[in-house]
Every structure is written in C-alpha cells, then in structure tokens.
Amino acid sequence: MASFDVEPLDATFGAVVTGLRLAELDDAAFAALYRAWLDHALLIFPGQHLGRAEQIAFARRFGAPEFEIAPISNVAADGAVRPADGGDDVVNILKGNMGWHCDSTYMPVQAKGAVFTAHVVPDAGGETGWADMRAAYDALDPAMKARIAPLSAYHSLRYSQAKLGHEHKPGSAYSGYGMTVEEPPLRPLVKVHPETGRRCLMVGRHAFGIPSLAADESERLLDDLADFACQPPRVYHHAWTPGDAVVWDNRSLMHRACPWDMTQPRVMYHSRIAGDPVSEFAAHA
C-alpha cells in the first residue's frame, strides 16, 4: 500500500493530504484514506489536476453518485462570463451558495459528501469555507442541547433562494435541480452521523419553519445556531489553486463559497455522493 501524509488544519477538522495520486489509489490506500476522511471530515489534495473521468471514478469510491459531475461556474458554454446583474439564474444560484449550507438537505435524501476540483480561479476571493457541525454541537451548553433535541426544521432550496429574490421559472438558465421540490423535507436539528455516531447540528440557509415555534422565533433560533457554529476554531476557508481537489463529509460539515469579482471567471467541478437512503432520508418528503 502506498503511504501518504495527513497534516491536520489549524481547526477542529480537516487535513491536507500529500504523497499520493487520487487517480492511482489501490484499495488498501483508499481504505486508509476513507478512515482519515471520517476522522477529519474534509481532505484537501493539492496539485491533483483530475480529469473528468478521474474525478467521477474517485467520487464513486465513496458511494453511488447523486450526480456524477457538474460545473459550478459563472462561465457559459460559449466561454463568456455570465452577467451578475440578477437576470441569470445560474449566477443567482452561485450567489445563494455563498450562504452556509449542507448539500441536498432540500431533497428527500441528503447527500453523503462531495468531491470538488478547481480549474479556473479568480485573482482574489472565491474561497470555499467549511464549518464543523460536530464540534459546534459539542460546544453548545447543556440547556441549548436539551432545547433543540426534540426539534426539526423544514429544508427548501426554493425557500432559501426566494430570500435572495430568485424564483425559478420555465426556461431558466438553471436546470431547476432542487427548486421544483413541492414538499420540503423535515429534518432534525441534531443529526447522528451514521458511521461515526457523533451528533452534529443540522441548520444552514435551507432550514426554516420549526413546526413547534412561531416563524420569527424559529428563524432567530436557526440563525443563532448557525452563527454560533460558524466561528473559529470550527471554520476553515480554502484559497484555491487550479488543480486542487477536496472531498468533504456533507453529514458533518456546512460549507459556502466566498464572494469574488464576478466579472472574473471561476470554474469548479462538483461530484455529489448520494446519501444512504435509510440514514439520510428525511422524516417527511
């Protein structure tokens, strides 16, 4: 088995992994890497320069795909940078992604994780941040843990985008993925990780409408929990270099994109790993 180096980040989670090629891992090396992924929740691999087929193949080793690969990009098919004037729904989704969230909590089955690669990056900004929702739960005081233990919230991409003035319409430049879900899933505020058993907060921009609370109280509680979670040492922001690859555990972390000058291109590719249909299925869908 090829050995590799794992250097923890200066945070409660995450590590930089060097000394391997993701496209050439044998099964024993991948098993060790998977264990490191469960421990650290975010693994960063500099200088991988994965091709499309290599990225898909690497992501599939973590589980079946929710979708194999998709551009997260403000560059249109003709090579032009999409206008950031509010009229392009692809850019509206990119702007929405600047809020803290977990992937696919608005779908019946939440994603397990994701592989993300950098291809074109702006001169400044455009980092990706992650927040450790395991450490956030651990840091709550006993009274707050007791308060939120029985609570759940609905999750909706349509809701979170509407807060930014984005309403999906037929013929939109955005595919509509997640925006056409009619009945929002209901998810507990405290999630138990199915592989590690650790408790994690489940909040973020898609969460709303705790059924037992008034709307304003629900929003205030969800905002307070997210603000508390997304503080040092529970956060890390990665400044991208073309060729970087990362894989994160969507059951343990929230993430967000950071703003950049959107007249500059930013081209990333995202492979989303499907969640287990038992452990990641919503209470209501």
Side-chain angles (χ1 to χ4, degrees):
M1 180 183 80
S3 62
F4 52 85
D5 296 317
V6 179
E7 181 65 32
L9 300 174
D10 185 20
T12 58
F13 71 105
V16 176
V17 181
T18 55
L20 51 68
R21 289 286 304 149
L22 296 180
E24 300 169 0
L25 287 179
D26 62 29
D27 288 346
F30 179 75
L33 192 70
Y34 192 92
R35 290 192 296 272
W37 180 66
L38 289 179
D39 288 342
H40 295 285
L42 168 71
L43 300 180
I44 300 166
F45 308 95
Q48 292 290 323
H49 297 280
L50 294 178
R52 178 185 178 92
E54 291 173 331
Q55 177 167 338
I56 292 170
F58 178 62
R60 277 183 168 273
R61 298 185 82 164
F62 289 84
E66 182 174 325
F67 54 78
E68 284 193 328
I69 196 164
I72 306 295
S73 167
N74 65 333
V75 178
D78 63 2
V81 175
R82 294 179 177 275
D85 58 5
D88 188 301
D89 283 346
V90 171
V91 175
N92 290 335
I93 290 288
L94 294 177
K95 289 180 177 179
N97 286 341
M98 294 175 188
W100 289 107
H101 64 285
C102 296
D103 284 336
S104 295
T105 56
Y106 48 79
M107 302 296 281
V109 178
Q110 177 187 335
K112 177 181 182 180
V115 174
F116 209 56
T117 57
H119 295 252
V120 178
V121 302
D123 294 337
E127 303 89 351
T128 299
W130 288 271
D132 187 348
M133 307 309 286
R134 311 164 305 175
Y137 176 80
D138 291 346
L140 292 173
D141 63 51
M144 181 59 76
K145 286 179 179 177
R147 181 186 178 193
I148 66 176
L151 300 181
S152 296
Y154 291 101
H155 287 247
S156 169
L157 180 61
R158 186 185 294 178
Y159 163 85
S160 55
Q161 287 298 115
K163 291 181 76 171
L164 305 175
H166 174 204
E167 179 183 350
H168 185 67
K169 299 179 179 65
S172 167
Y174 178 64
S175 68
Y177 189 83
M179 292 287 280
T180 58
V181 176
E182 293 294 335
E183 264 192 287
L186 183 65
R187 299 186 177 281
L189 266 59
V190 180
K191 175 179 179 56
V192 178
H193 192 290
E195 294 186 82
T196 68
R198 289 191 68 177
R199 285 176 168 79
C200 315
L201 279 180
M202 176 58 63
V203 290
R205 77 184 189 99
H206 304 311
F208 74 103
I210 297 171
S212 58
L213 302 183
D216 58 344
E217 186 181 1
S218 169
E219 185 168 7
R220 186 164 57 250
L221 176 59
L222 292 168
D223 287 348
D224 286 349
L225 289 170
D227 290 345
F228 174 81
C230 300
Q231 300 291 332
R234 298 182 291 274
V235 292
Y236 167 76
H237 287 82
H238 184 66
W240 294 99
T241 297
D244 287 352
V246 306
V247 58
W248 75 84
D249 189 334
N250 189 61
R251 304 160 299 182
S252 298
L253 307 179
M254 288 204 297
H255 63 281
R256 69 171 180 181
C258 293
W260 76 96
D261 176 357
M262 296 189 87
T263 65
Q264 294 190 7
R266 181 180 184 267
V267 181
M268 321 292 286
Y269 279 86
H270 178 99
S271 297
R272 192 169 295 178
I273 304 155
D276 182 276
V278 175
S279 65
E280 306 313 310
F281 194 79
H284 169 72

